[in-house]
Amino acid sequence: MNRFGERFTMTTYGESHGKAIGCVLDGVPAGLEIDEAYIQSELDRRRPGQNEFATARKESDKVEILSGVFEGISTGTPIMMVIYNTDQKSGDYSNIKDIFRPGHADFTYFHKFGLRDYRGGGRSSARETAARVAGGAVAKLMLSKIGITFSSGISAIHGIQGKELDFSYPPKSPIYALDPSVEEAQKEAILAAKNRHDSVGGVATLKISGLPIGLGEGLYYKLDAVLASAMMGINAVKAVEIGDGIHSAEVLASQNNDPITDQGFKTNHSGGILGGMSNGDDLICKVHFKPTPSIFIDQESINTSGENVHVSLKGRHDPCVAIRGSVVVESMAALVIADMTLLNMGRTMEGIKSYYR
Amino acid sequence: MNRFGERFTMTTYGESHGKAIGCVLDGVPAGLEIDEAYIQSELDRRRPGQNEFATARKESDKVEILSGVFEGISTGTPIMMVIYNTDQKSGDYSNIKDIFRPGHADFTYFHKFGLRDYRGGGRSSARETAARVAGGAVAKLMLSKIGITFSSGISAIHGIQGKELDFSYPPKSPIYALDPSVEEAQKEAILAAKNRHDSVGGVATLKISGLPIGLGEGLYYKLDAVLASAMMGINAVKAVEIGDGIHSAEVLASQNNDPITDQGFKTNHSGGILGGMSNGDDLICKVHFKPTPSIFIDQESINTSGENVHVSLKGRHDPCVAIRGSVVVESMAALVIADMTLLNMGRTMEGIKSYYR
Amino acid sequence: MNRFGERFTMTTYGESHGKAIGCVLDGVPAGLEIDEAYIQSELDRRRPGQNEFATARKESDKVEILSGVFEGISTGTPIMMVIYNTDQKSGDYSNIKDIFRPGHADFTYFHKFGLRDYRGGGRSSARETAARVAGGAVAKLMLSKIGITFSSGISAIHGIQGKELDFSYPPKSPIYALDPSVEEAQKEAILAAKNRHDSVGGVATLKISGLPIGLGEGLYYKLDAVLASAMMGINAVKAVEIGDGIHSAEVLASQNNDPITDQGFKTNHSGGILGGMSNGDDLICKVHFKPTPSIFIDQESINTSGENVHVSLKGRHDPCVAIRGSVVVESMAALVIADMTLLNMGRTMEGIKSYYR
Amino acid sequence: MNRFGERFTMTTYGESHGKAIGCVLDGVPAGLEIDEAYIQSELDRRRPGQNEFATARKESDKVEILSGVFEGISTGTPIMMVIYNTDQKSGDYSNIKDIFRPGHADFTYFHKFGLRDYRGGGRSSARETAARVAGGAVAKLMLSKIGITFSSGISAIHGIQGKELDFSYPPKSPIYALDPSVEEAQKEAILAAKNRHDSVGGVATLKISGLPIGLGEGLYYKLDAVLASAMMGINAVKAVEIGDGIHSAEVLASQNNDPITDQGFKTNHSGGILGGMSNGDDLICKVHFKPTPSIFIDQESINTSGENVHVSLKGRHDPCVAIRGSVVVESMAALVIADMTLLNMGRTMEGIKSYYR
């Protein structure tokens, strides 16, 4: 259950303050050039410690490939990537060793597994998502060969919504903003919360272009369903929308159906998915992140003995986890699409006969 | 990919106008009393043709069990259930045989599979969800034995939101309304759209009570992730929220974190899930349905030759698919929880030693 | 766990004396002509009651397709097939209701599931293999389109080994013999055992021709490993050999390695598999069946209360289960190859780029 | 497809001459003491370079755990183990860079993946089995807590069969012999072949004791079927037998059925499995290994251009791969049983109710 995907699969391992985190990719086709610099550049986008809008923790997040690549080319065998943990200040956590942090997984992990890995959340820490970004980077390398591209950014912070989304802008913004006109207001909201030792939520919006028509499998592995699973499974995510999402539930069908013409779809309320399959239009997905639960304000909780306590966290945390989370959104989406791309082959006799000719 | 779940699994089959639909349940424990009347009563909740708020199509939806049950008790072997299709007016569809209905899966299925099953959407029809309800009913039978219960209803129609949700009210309401105070307004919105040959969207809210702490597996089979997949995979669903959902992304952590006390959680913004696992509180999930795409208004589309055409549908369709959809929401949730219940066994050495003692 | 395969999957259901048995095939490509007469002819090969070398039970084994096929063509959606049980003389079994038949699954099923479906073994009965034959027939239809063919027969009965195997002979032999020169001796061995109210074992040999090079996936889904699983999982099978099998373990490498030339392999000791993948040569597999455990001789056993009893079975049973088992061998092999055929697509970037061009 | 198991799963990675090999275990229950010295001792049993009956290659095979263990106890999260490759003399292989070694996977891998990792077989090398042994060791640690134990050894070499198998003897024998009375003859057969630059095959026999009744799932995840898959998937294995195996196919049912008494089974022809489930008796399995295909005798082959060549291998290879293979047999068996142990929980309502009480 620490594996994602059916044919292009990623298994991750590692805890926030253990020796290392990483992943094994299984199903990567042979013959793909593995551009390590690109993989590292993706990790660098998610890396902490880069500005005042993210945690001050510094992880170098250097990724190393230990298998599956020979002379720079994928061999069709498992690609194992490792990222050693370097900035392991477990001491930061000794004071909350026996306390369940509100909004965190401490409480549920303790009850499920009967023990406590108190080092910063252990496996439940968002640090694990670095491994997902490494895996997603390989997926993106593969998909770029068939013209599928990904972009993402922040559409809203603390309720401050972007209106005109410019998917070329996030790389220029320290908060990966999609709408420059609200970027300053969004930044201020973050810093205001940070100064109050609090944190804010935000929304990442994802766009995938160049999709073939028909990606998505059966009724229980639909493209939107698997995307929803991939997104909801990212730390701190509480809601996922496809296309117009919740707005679709508020309008009439005559306003929501996308007319089809010989030039393509006239509108894209559907977000590029019909019947659980890609329709060839841009795929649009919105992912809502709650505020980072780690705050430096006094909170009520209990300890492992069940006694009421007050907890006041220390350490270094993101004032808005959505920002770096948007990189993870893109990575998970790439894994979904890579998987669907492989699964889709062999859906018709014509395709099979052509392949084995 | 027409299978759902890992240990308590459901495989469905059948098309809207084929001979039958149904499912095979694999992983149902032995020794469960299979109450066929209860299963039928669940199907009856989803059954069309019951009032003016649903399609006038009449399907008896009689379910028959062909295997896996002996003398009224599950034997631990696959339970196969079949529902024969009786009201197959394929003729209704002959006029749209070569046309892609906007908002439907016709377009994507045609491109994926290279052929057209034009009989009412074939496999992509929401009729298949009757099989899910049959499967979910067995899951609910199992879960009721360990105190887990499900309820659901309609919280919003066409933007008309319920405020105080009463989970005991939907069985008394023809639109399964959760808030009696807005029920009439919601009914009017449905009928107004219906009279204009249009349709409306809506929102179903689900509540699960009695969950043990710790359901949810690994980082890629989290409880919220799998629920999101289950919900987004239901026909017409475009957004899924857990707990406060999109609202969580608009507030501060100090407002969103649920304080923990020796009496339990003080609030339930999280919707009963922390770190991808149940925390013992009520699980709350909101599911947004788009308006039924089948409307009787002239729409632009293309045919299978790629030519522009105008399409004006006929037939019998739900003016608000969310209503009957809410029953499917509950059924899919039951399947998720049943699966997680089985998967959770064996997570600790203590549990294993106790089981094999 | 009642599902076989990863991409071309079969889920079976049903018990020997329940209402029906059957299967759901998921992953069958769209556009395949589904020749129902062929599927029935495959079932007829396995059907009991045809001569003195098989059980006298008469099952018509008429298969009906309830979904996944439209106008004679597969639609890419699940194909559900049902075979209603007609000759259900459960009365035959009332005398052994509380007794564990030696050599049967009664004992283990009772202890696993805590209950007894005493009607002829229920789910554990070889009757379920009729569903496998129906599924395998569809796999063979698909594979025939890319030149892959299957043949099988009986190579040994009660230790009487065939030497020169003629894969065109079994259809002419009531015991599906592969070597006409020993057929009479093999028949006599069967009838001799039958007359003594006993039964004999036998060996089926399978040949698959026309395989492309490279079928077989990763290190835990190798072609030979999955074949071994498919074969060992057939009722009464106790050993599986690939190519020279046990003989390979008795010779030198210089005798066992198959020299490679520009005309192909000089010998085929490997049985067509190298490194867990098809090498393009004929795939050869030997499957060893124990004698039918149901015999009419007094045997020692215990009842469900744990008391010693003597059991003397009645009813109608195959004097040599290997004969009809050889048809199941072929069917399961077809399912394995169909699955591997789909899985193999997308193993190289070149193939992916070509597919999505 | 480089993953084994359903609930207790192992994913392996790495090539014989890459940077490292290893595995990720997912599904190990929390609360298990992870005895690293024991894991290393298991690897040491498989380690090459220990005497004249194995390859002279020296790999230290030091295993390191990078995740999933905290303070010596498993946390329920993925356990990642790495073994760095130290003795990588890739130069040994430069002369066969473009040549397909007879009896090896070179030919099939090249055709499947379109490229050649010529460094000693790369992923197809038996070196990968060190990772399996590490994984199997953790499975054995878990199973020992509920009284399940494993033993194995060599029952035959080059046709020289052991008669009386003593499962306590292999640890004292450099060839892991099970029958001391034929050990010398077996040794001589190995050395005779080695001196002729050839190699011999052999047979490993496995015994599992202490199994509960009822391990084994559904009809396509039977205990014997999954064992057969696990065994046939080990490098060089060509045949697998359960219990009396091929002998069962040569006798009468009256000789093969195991009588049941209130003291247990009178005989164990079945090898401890009935109907695909453990029956509580010792599980016996025989695994047949072909001779190591790497020999130093001139052989016919072709190169990657399809031209006929003569190949004369160099390097350091096992004269009988079955010996070290027997350790892998035990490891894979432990993984199978661990998986089945977890899967079996939740098979009855009684068990579920007791667990969630």
Side-chain angles (χ1 to χ4, degrees):
Chain A
M1 303 322 220
N2 288 281
R3 188 178 77 148
F4 186 79
E6 291 288 325
R7 294 298 294 123
F8 189 108
T9 73
M10 175 180 73
T11 302
T12 67
Y13 61 85
E15 301 91 43
S16 61
H17 291 69
K19 289 185 181 172
I21 59 170
C23 66
V24 181
L25 300 180
D26 195 6
V28 180
L32 176 66
E33 291 157 63
I34 302 297
D35 181 343
E36 292 197 46
Y38 172 73
I39 300 171
Q40 187 61 54
S41 73
E42 285 286 287
L43 279 161
D44 291 348
R45 288 171 63 204
R46 198 214 70 101
R47 184 159 51 88
Q50 306 192 84
N51 59 46
E52 61 191 325
F53 304 104
T55 171
R57 269 199 315 274
K58 290 208 186 300
E59 286 282 357
S60 60
D61 281 355
K62 285 292 169 212
V63 66
E64 188 181 359
I65 299 176
L66 293 194
S67 71
V69 179
F70 182 50
E71 299 176 342
I73 306 291
S74 66
T75 60
T77 64
I79 296 179
M80 196 286 240
M81 296 189 278
V82 65
I83 300 163
Y84 286 95
N85 290 328
T86 54
D87 188 31
Q88 308 170 28
K89 293 197 190 171
S90 302
D92 286 3
Y93 297 98
S94 57
N95 63 320
I96 51 108
K97 188 174 166 171
D98 301 317
I99 294 173
F100 302 123
R101 293 168 301 164
H104 272 284
D106 303 346
F107 179 81
T108 47
Y109 270 63
F110 177 79
H111 280 92
K112 185 180 189 78
F113 294 122
L115 47 79
R116 181 84 193 275
D117 179 352
Y118 53 81
R119 304 164 301 167
R123 180 70 180 156
S124 72
S125 163
R127 171 139 188 74
E128 181 265 355
T129 60
R132 306 187 191 196
V133 172
V138 174
K140 286 163 102 177
L141 284 173
M142 178 185 111
L143 295 168
S144 71
K145 302 290 184 191
I146 53 171
I148 301 173
T149 56
F150 295 79
S151 49
S152 70
I154 293 297
S155 51
I157 294 284
H158 198 51
I160 302 164
Q161 307 277 344
K163 283 113 202 172
E164 296 286 307
L165 305 189
D166 173 0
F167 284 90
S168 71
Y169 189 69
K172 303 167 206 155
S173 162
I175 61 164
Y176 298 154
L178 279 163
D179 182 350
S181 75
V182 297
E183 183 184 10
E184 282 312 308
Q186 292 176 332
K187 282 182 183 173
E188 280 163 28
I190 298 170
L191 295 179
K194 186 179 178 182
N195 289 337
R196 288 194 305 267
H197 304 301
D198 214 331
S199 69
V200 293
V203 183
T205 297
L206 164 78
K207 185 172 82 167
I208 313 176
S209 299
L211 289 169
I213 305 172
L215 296 192
E217 296 295 309
L219 296 188
Y220 303 106
Y221 213 69
K222 288 179 172 174
L223 180 51
D224 41 6
V226 179
L227 258 181
S229 169
M231 297 305 143
M232 195 68 92
I234 298 173
N235 307 49
V237 171
K238 298 302 285 183
V240 181
E241 303 178 73
I242 303 291
D244 284 0
I246 61 167
H247 186 63
S248 285
E250 299 171 346
V251 297
L252 297 167
S254 56
Q255 299 164 312
N256 189 63
N257 286 351
D258 298 310
I260 320 177
T261 78
D262 56 10
Q263 305 300 311
F265 291 91
K266 266 193 156 173
T267 52
N268 189 14
H269 300 301
S270 74
I273 298 183
L274 280 174
M277 295 175 190
S278 58
N279 69 8
D281 220 332
D282 284 347
L283 193 158
I284 304 293
C285 178
K286 286 171 74 178
V287 184
H288 299 255
F289 290 81
K290 71 177 185 183
T292 325
S294 295
I295 51 176
F296 310 109
I297 296 171
D298 179 88
Q299 296 182 90
E300 289 177 77
S301 189
I302 58 173
N303 61 22
T304 52
S305 306
E307 301 158 338
N308 288 329
V309 295
H310 281 257
V311 55
S312 193
L313 298 176
K314 291 167 188 169
R316 301 155 298 170
H317 303 289
D318 285 279
C320 178
V321 78
I323 299 169
R324 299 201 288 131
S326 70
V327 180
V328 184
V329 162
E330 212 177 302
S331 303
M332 290 305 297
L335 289 164
V336 171
I337 300 298
D339 197 29
M340 293 292 183
T341 297
L342 297 186
L343 286 165
N344 184 53
M345 297 174 77
R347 283 301 113 233
T348 65
M349 269 319 293
E350 193 183 2
I352 293 170
K353 281 190 280 191
S354 162
Y355 193 91
Y356 285 103
R357 195 173 43 206
Chain B
M1 304 319 221
N2 288 281
R3 188 178 76 148
F4 187 79
E6 292 287 326
R7 295 298 294 123
F8 189 109
T9 73
M10 174 181 73
T11 302
T12 68
Y13 61 85
E15 301 91 43
S16 61
H17 291 68
K19 290 185 182 171
I21 59 169
C23 65
V24 181
L25 299 181
D26 195 6
V28 181
L32 177 65
E33 292 156 65
I34 302 297
D35 180 344
E36 291 197 46
Y38 173 73
I39 300 172
Q40 188 60 53
S41 73
E42 283 287 285
L43 279 160
D44 291 347
R45 288 172 62 204
R46 198 214 70 101
R47 187 157 50 87
Q50 307 193 83
N51 60 45
E52 62 190 326
F53 304 103
T55 172
R57 267 199 317 274
K58 290 211 186 296
E59 287 281 357
S60 61
D61 282 356
K62 285 291 169 214
V63 65
E64 189 181 358
I65 299 176
L66 294 193
S67 70
V69 179
F70 182 51
E71 299 175 343
I73 306 290
S74 66
T75 59
T77 65
I79 295 178
M80 196 286 240
M81 296 189 278
V82 64
I83 301 162
Y84 286 95
N85 290 327
T86 55
D87 188 30
Q88 310 169 28
K89 293 198 189 169
S90 302
D92 284 1
Y93 296 97
S94 58
N95 63 321
I96 52 108
K97 186 174 167 170
D98 302 316
I99 294 173
F100 301 123
R101 294 168 299 165
H104 272 285
D106 303 347
F107 180 81
T108 47
Y109 270 63
F110 178 79
H111 280 91
K112 185 179 189 80
F113 294 121
L115 46 79
R116 182 83 193 274
D117 179 353
Y118 52 81
R119 304 164 299 166
R123 179 71 180 155
S124 72
S125 164
R127 170 139 188 75
E128 181 265 354
T129 60
R132 305 187 193 196
V133 173
V138 175
K140 285 162 103 176
L141 284 173
M142 177 185 111
L143 294 168
S144 71
K145 303 290 184 191
I146 53 170
I148 301 174
T149 57
F150 295 79
S151 48
S152 71
I154 293 298
S155 50
I157 294 284
H158 198 52
I160 301 165
Q161 308 277 345
K163 281 114 201 170
E164 296 286 309
L165 306 188
D166 173 359
F167 283 91
S168 70
Y169 189 68
K172 304 167 205 154
S173 162
I175 61 165
Y176 298 154
L178 280 163
D179 182 352
S181 73
V182 297
E183 183 184 8
E184 281 311 310
Q186 291 175 332
K187 282 181 181 173
E188 280 163 28
I190 297 169
L191 295 179
K194 187 179 178 182
N195 290 336
R196 290 194 305 268
H197 305 300
D198 213 332
S199 68
V200 293
V203 183
T205 297
L206 164 77
K207 184 171 83 167
I208 313 176
S209 300
L211 289 169
I213 305 172
L215 295 191
E217 296 295 309
L219 296 188
Y220 303 107
Y221 212 69
K222 287 178 174 174
L223 180 51
D224 43 5
V226 178
L227 257 182
S229 169
M231 297 304 143
M232 195 68 93
I234 298 173
N235 307 48
V237 172
K238 299 301 284 185
V240 180
E241 303 178 73
I242 303 290
D244 285 359
I246 61 167
H247 185 63
S248 285
E250 299 171 347
V251 296
L252 297 166
S254 55
Q255 298 164 314
N256 190 64
N257 286 351
D258 297 311
I260 320 177
T261 77
D262 55 11
Q263 304 300 311
F265 291 91
K266 267 193 156 173
T267 54
N268 189 12
H269 300 301
S270 74
I273 299 183
L274 279 175
M277 294 175 191
S278 59
N279 69 8
D281 220 332
D282 284 347
L283 193 156
I284 304 293
C285 177
K286 287 171 71 179
V287 184
H288 299 255
F289 290 81
K290 71 177 185 182
T292 325
S294 295
I295 52 177
F296 311 109
I297 297 171
D298 178 87
Q299 297 183 90
E300 290 177 76
S301 189
I302 59 174
N303 61 22
T304 53
S305 308
E307 300 158 339
N308 287 330
V309 296
H310 280 258
V311 55
S312 194
L313 298 176
K314 291 168 185 167
R316 300 156 297 171
H317 303 288
D318 285 279
C320 178
V321 78
I323 299 169
R324 297 200 291 131
S326 71
V327 180
V328 185
V329 162
E330 213 176 301
S331 303
M332 291 304 296
L335 290 163
V336 171
I337 300 298
D339 198 27
M340 292 292 181
T341 297
L342 297 186
L343 286 165
N344 183 54
M345 296 174 77
R347 283 300 115 236
T348 64
M349 269 317 296
E350 195 184 359
I352 293 170
K353 281 189 281 189
S354 162
Y355 193 91
Y356 285 103
R357 194 174 41 205
Chain C
M1 304 320 220
N2 287 282
R3 189 178 75 148
F4 187 79
E6 292 287 326
R7 296 296 295 123
F8 188 108
T9 73
M10 175 180 72
T11 303
T12 67
Y13 61 86
E15 301 90 44
S16 61
H17 290 69
K19 291 186 180 170
I21 59 169
C23 66
V24 181
L25 299 181
D26 195 6
V28 180
L32 177 65
E33 291 158 64
I34 302 298
D35 181 343
E36 292 196 47
Y38 173 73
I39 299 171
Q40 188 60 54
S41 73
E42 284 287 286
L43 279 162
D44 290 346
R45 289 170 62 203
R46 198 212 72 100
R47 186 157 51 87
Q50 305 193 80
N51 60 46
E52 63 191 323
F53 303 105
T55 171
R57 267 199 317 273
K58 290 211 186 294
E59 287 282 356
S60 60
D61 282 356
K62 285 293 169 211
V63 67
E64 187 181 0
I65 299 177
L66 294 194
S67 70
V69 179
F70 182 50
E71 299 176 342
I73 306 290
S74 66
T75 59
T77 64
I79 296 178
M80 195 285 239
M81 295 190 278
V82 64
I83 301 163
Y84 287 95
N85 290 328
T86 54
D87 189 30
Q88 309 170 28
K89 295 197 191 171
S90 303
D92 284 3
Y93 296 97
S94 58
N95 63 322
I96 52 108
K97 186 175 166 171
D98 302 315
I99 294 173
F100 303 122
R101 294 167 299 164
H104 273 284
D106 304 346
F107 179 81
T108 48
Y109 271 63
F110 177 79
H111 280 90
K112 184 179 190 79
F113 294 121
L115 46 79
R116 182 84 194 274
D117 179 354
Y118 53 80
R119 304 164 300 168
R123 180 70 180 156
S124 72
S125 163
R127 171 139 186 74
E128 180 265 354
T129 61
R132 305 187 191 196
V133 173
V138 175
K140 285 163 102 176
L141 284 173
M142 176 184 113
L143 294 167
S144 71
K145 303 290 183 189
I146 53 170
I148 301 173
T149 57
F150 296 79
S151 49
S152 71
I154 292 297
S155 50
I157 295 283
H158 198 51
I160 302 164
Q161 309 277 343
K163 283 112 201 172
E164 295 287 307
L165 305 188
D166 174 0
F167 283 91
S168 70
Y169 189 69
K172 304 167 206 154
S173 162
I175 61 164
Y176 300 153
L178 280 163
D179 182 351
S181 74
V182 298
E183 182 184 10
E184 281 311 309
Q186 291 175 332
K187 284 181 180 172
E188 281 164 27
I190 297 169
L191 295 179
K194 186 180 178 180
N195 290 337
R196 288 195 305 268
H197 305 302
D198 214 330
S199 68
V200 292
V203 183
T205 297
L206 164 77
K207 184 172 83 166
I208 313 176
S209 299
L211 288 169
I213 305 172
L215 296 191
E217 296 295 309
L219 295 188
Y220 303 107
Y221 212 71
K222 287 178 173 174
L223 180 50
D224 42 5
V226 179
L227 257 182
S229 168
M231 297 304 145
M232 196 69 92
I234 298 172
N235 307 48
V237 171
K238 298 302 283 184
V240 181
E241 303 179 73
I242 303 290
D244 284 0
I246 61 168
H247 186 63
S248 285
E250 298 171 346
V251 297
L252 297 166
S254 57
Q255 299 164 315
N256 189 63
N257 287 350
D258 298 309
I260 321 177
T261 78
D262 55 11
Q263 304 301 310
F265 291 90
K266 267 193 154 172
T267 53
N268 187 14
H269 300 301
S270 74
I273 298 183
L274 279 175
M277 294 174 191
S278 58
N279 69 8
D281 221 332
D282 285 346
L283 192 157
I284 304 293
C285 177
K286 287 172 72 177
V287 184
H288 300 256
F289 290 81
K290 71 177 187 183
T292 324
S294 295
I295 51 177
F296 312 108
I297 297 171
D298 178 86
Q299 297 182 89
E300 290 176 76
S301 189
I302 59 174
N303 60 22
T304 52
S305 308
E307 300 158 337
N308 288 330
V309 296
H310 280 258
V311 54
S312 194
L313 299 176
K314 291 168 185 170
R316 301 155 297 170
H317 303 288
D318 285 279
C320 178
V321 78
I323 299 169
R324 298 200 289 131
S326 71
V327 181
V328 185
V329 162
E330 214 177 301
S331 304
M332 289 305 297
L335 289 164
V336 171
I337 300 298
D339 197 29
M340 292 293 183
T341 297
L342 297 187
L343 285 166
N344 183 53
M345 297 174 76
R347 282 301 115 238
T348 64
M349 268 319 295
E350 196 184 359
I352 292 170
K353 282 191 280 190
S354 161
Y355 193 90
Y356 285 103
R357 195 174 40 205
Chain D
M1 305 319 221
N2 287 282
R3 188 178 76 149
F4 186 79
E6 292 287 325
R7 295 298 294 123
F8 189 108
T9 73
M10 175 181 72
T11 302
T12 67
Y13 61 85
E15 301 91 44
S16 62
H17 291 67
K19 289 185 182 171
I21 59 170
C23 65
V24 181
L25 300 181
D26 195 6
V28 180
L32 177 65
E33 291 156 63
I34 302 297
D35 180 343
E36 292 196 46
Y38 173 73
I39 299 172
Q40 188 61 53
S41 73
E42 284 287 286
L43 279 161
D44 290 347
R45 288 172 61 204
R46 197 214 71 102
R47 185 156 52 87
Q50 306 194 82
N51 59 45
E52 62 190 326
F53 304 104
T55 172
R57 267 199 318 273
K58 289 210 185 295
E59 287 281 357
S60 61
D61 282 355
K62 284 292 170 212
V63 67
E64 188 182 358
I65 298 177
L66 294 194
S67 71
V69 179
F70 182 51
E71 299 177 340
I73 306 290
S74 65
T75 60
T77 64
I79 297 178
M80 196 284 239
M81 295 189 277
V82 64
I83 301 162
Y84 286 95
N85 290 328
T86 54
D87 188 31
Q88 308 170 29
K89 294 197 189 172
S90 301
D92 285 2
Y93 295 99
S94 58
N95 63 320
I96 52 108
K97 186 173 166 171
D98 302 316
I99 294 173
F100 302 122
R101 293 167 301 164
H104 273 283
D106 304 347
F107 179 81
T108 47
Y109 270 63
F110 178 79
H111 281 91
K112 184 180 190 80
F113 294 121
L115 47 79
R116 181 83 193 274
D117 178 352
Y118 52 81
R119 303 164 301 168
R123 180 71 180 157
S124 71
S125 163
R127 171 140 188 72
E128 181 266 352
T129 60
R132 306 189 192 194
V133 173
V138 175
K140 286 162 102 176
L141 283 174
M142 177 184 111
L143 295 167
S144 71
K145 302 290 183 191
I146 53 171
I148 301 173
T149 57
F150 296 79
S151 50
S152 71
I154 293 298
S155 50
I157 294 284
H158 197 53
I160 301 164
Q161 308 276 346
K163 282 111 201 171
E164 295 286 308
L165 305 189
D166 173 0
F167 284 90
S168 70
Y169 189 68
K172 304 168 205 153
S173 163
I175 61 165
Y176 299 153
L178 279 162
D179 182 350
S181 75
V182 297
E183 182 183 11
E184 281 313 307
Q186 292 176 332
K187 283 181 181 174
E188 280 164 27
I190 297 169
L191 295 179
K194 185 179 179 181
N195 290 337
R196 288 194 306 268
H197 305 301
D198 213 331
S199 69
V200 293
V203 184
T205 297
L206 164 77
K207 185 172 82 167
I208 312 177
S209 300
L211 289 169
I213 304 173
L215 296 192
E217 296 294 310
L219 296 187
Y220 303 107
Y221 212 71
K222 286 178 174 173
L223 180 51
D224 43 4
V226 178
L227 257 182
S229 169
M231 297 303 143
M232 196 67 93
I234 299 173
N235 307 49
V237 171
K238 299 302 283 183
V240 181
E241 303 179 73
I242 303 289
D244 285 0
I246 61 169
H247 185 62
S248 285
E250 298 171 346
V251 298
L252 297 166
S254 56
Q255 298 164 313
N256 190 63
N257 287 349
D258 298 310
I260 319 177
T261 78
D262 55 11
Q263 305 301 310
F265 292 91
K266 265 194 157 173
T267 53
N268 188 12
H269 301 301
S270 74
I273 298 183
L274 279 174
M277 294 174 192
S278 58
N279 68 7
D281 219 332
D282 284 347
L283 193 157
I284 304 293
C285 177
K286 287 172 72 178
V287 184
H288 299 254
F289 290 80
K290 71 179 186 181
T292 324
S294 295
I295 51 176
F296 312 108
I297 296 171
D298 178 88
Q299 297 182 88
E300 289 176 78
S301 189
I302 59 174
N303 60 24
T304 53
S305 307
E307 300 158 339
N308 288 329
V309 296
H310 281 258
V311 55
S312 193
L313 298 175
K314 290 167 186 168
R316 300 155 298 171
H317 303 287
D318 285 280
C320 177
V321 78
I323 299 168
R324 297 202 289 132
S326 71
V327 180
V328 184
V329 162
E330 213 177 300
S331 303
M332 290 305 296
L335 289 164
V336 171
I337 300 299
D339 198 27
M340 293 293 184
T341 297
L342 297 187
L343 286 165
N344 184 54
M345 296 174 77
R347 282 301 113 236
T348 64
M349 268 319 294
E350 193 183 2
I352 292 170
K353 281 190 281 190
S354 161
Y355 194 89
Y356 285 102
R357 195 173 40 205

